[in-house]
Amino acid sequence: MRTHNSHPARRSGDADPTPTGSADHTAPAAGAVEPTRTGRMLVALAVGAVVTIVLLVFILQNTERTAIAFLGWDFTLPLGVALLFAALAGLLIAAVIGGARIWQLRHAYRKAQ
């Protein structure tokens, strides 16, 4: 099983994967720091915090109550909350469809082996 860092072995007849005239892939410049999983996690956390703050501001600015009718239910919600629920429902549907596709591909891969 290959990991994300492994590369298939090159055979002697294989062409060089680096095009001629390309930049030399030497060590990074002194003082350069390679990205880490922790760094990417912190960036994702910061982006999530900003999105959360923007959503809260949006909800707080859209407090006018809106009538909603869904599958025989009639109720009122603030507009910002109703739109947040709609976005969450769409996210959930996309996650279920994506998860089903991933399961389908893994099942087909295991069956092919």
Side-chain angles (χ1 to χ4, degrees):
M1 183 168 137
R2 287 180 44 192
T3 63
H4 68 281
N5 289 334
S6 65
H7 300 287
R10 285 186 53 205
R11 290 171 272 160
S12 62
D14 288 347
D16 186 10
T18 55
T20 57
S22 66
D24 187 16
H25 295 287
T26 58
V33 178
E34 296 217 11
T36 63
R37 277 191 233 165
T38 304
R40 287 189 290 265
M41 182 188 66
L42 289 174
V43 169
L45 185 64
V47 169
V50 168
V51 168
T52 301
I53 290 170
V54 169
L55 280 172
L56 285 173
V57 169
F58 176 78
I59 290 170
L60 292 173
Q61 288 182 346
N62 291 285
T63 57
E64 183 179 330
R65 295 195 72 80
T66 304
I68 297 176
F70 179 69
L71 296 176
W73 296 327
D74 294 317
F75 50 92
T76 61
L77 283 175
L79 178 61
V81 173
L83 289 174
L84 178 64
F85 284 160
L88 289 175
L91 182 66
L92 182 63
I93 290 169
V96 167
I97 292 171
R101 179 64 178 152
I102 289 171
W103 178 85
Q104 182 184 36
L105 291 171
R106 283 184 182 170
H107 184 70
Y109 176 75
R110 287 183 185 134
K111 190 176 181 180
Q113 284 187 338

